[in-house]
Amino acid sequence: MSHASDTRQSIIDAVLRIIGQDGIAAVTNRRIAKEAGVSLGSVTYHFATQHELLRESLLHFVAEETRHFTALADECTDEQFDIGQAAEVVAQVAGGNAFDSRHIAPFELYVQAGRDERLRAAAAECFAAYDLLATRILTQLGVPDPERLAGVAVALVFGQQLRRLATGEDLVDTLLILTKFAPAQNS
């Protein structure tokens, strides 16, 4: 990776940390430069506007999430896939035990996408990866019409994550409990 690419990546990583720690309002060029360990001029050289900086940070996050969740979805094709394996995958998706700034930043970025339509395509791309993973899990569990239910499952996991963030409660198993009420597919 070239020095310019390293600098750009350091800036994006710093932006995501800042957003996760203190929200989008805390993203200033001076703070980014300090957090990334680069000059103030480097921030403005690589990113001309605040919108570009937020968009590139969201796109970076989306690319990482898409790779991660696509790999997880590919693992959910085993014939022996069961509710226990589904619980493990959902726990991974929900962030495991840590709810640090890296897990908080995406929520801030998604809220920002709600305010700025130019960010929505990037957010939609990430949700498509989440939906793919949910579809694979639901298919392996024998839940009828998994494509239609995937968005609902993703929304439930996101809701659980927000609740956990706000209250500290761990509700990972809730979604899996709901799958027990769904009738198995007829093969």
Side-chain angles (χ1 to χ4, degrees), residues 28-34 38-45:
T28 66
N29 288 354
R30 288 191 192 286
R31 179 146 180 213
I32 294 164
K34 181 179 177 186
V38 301
S39 70
L40 184 57
S42 289
V43 175
T44 56
Y45 173 78

Side-chain angles (χ1 to χ4, degrees), residues 18-168:
I18 293 166
I19 291 171
Q21 291 166 356
D22 297 315
I24 289 175
V27 176
T28 66
N29 288 354
R30 288 191 192 286
R31 179 146 180 213
I32 294 164
K34 181 179 177 186
E35 184 86 21
V38 301
S39 70
L40 184 57
S42 289
V43 175
T44 56
Y45 173 78
H46 288 282
F47 301 97
T49 66
Q50 184 84 1
H51 172 264
E52 181 185 353
L53 191 58
L54 291 175
R55 183 180 176 282
E56 290 300 314
S57 296
L58 180 58
L59 288 172
H60 171 74
F61 171 77
V62 165
E64 293 295 313
E65 288 287 274
T66 300
R67 272 193 292 279
H68 176 70
F69 289 119
T70 301
L72 282 175
D74 289 344
E75 293 173 14
C76 296
T77 57
D78 181 10
E79 293 290 325
Q80 304 302 317
F81 191 83
D82 62 15
I83 196 82
Q85 289 170 301
E88 288 176 26
V89 173
V90 172
Q92 275 187 294
V93 170
N97 295 324
F99 230 122
D100 55 14
S101 63
R102 185 183 183 303
H103 293 93
I104 296 170
F107 290 101
E108 293 278 348
L109 288 168
Y110 292 138
V111 169
Q112 188 65 23
R115 293 182 186 115
D116 185 344
E117 67 184 45
R118 297 171 296 181
L119 298 174
R120 288 187 189 146
E125 184 179 327
C126 199
F127 276 97
Y130 299 149
D131 289 350
L132 172 65
L133 177 59
T135 298
R136 295 259 176 93
I137 291 172
L138 294 170
T139 298
Q140 290 299 106
L141 293 176
V143 174
D145 205 2
E147 293 86 8
R148 187 174 63 82
L149 296 175
V152 173
V154 169
L156 286 171
V157 171
F158 266 76
Q160 290 171 344
Q161 287 177 309
L162 281 173
R163 183 172 177 156
R164 180 175 168 211
L165 177 62
T167 66

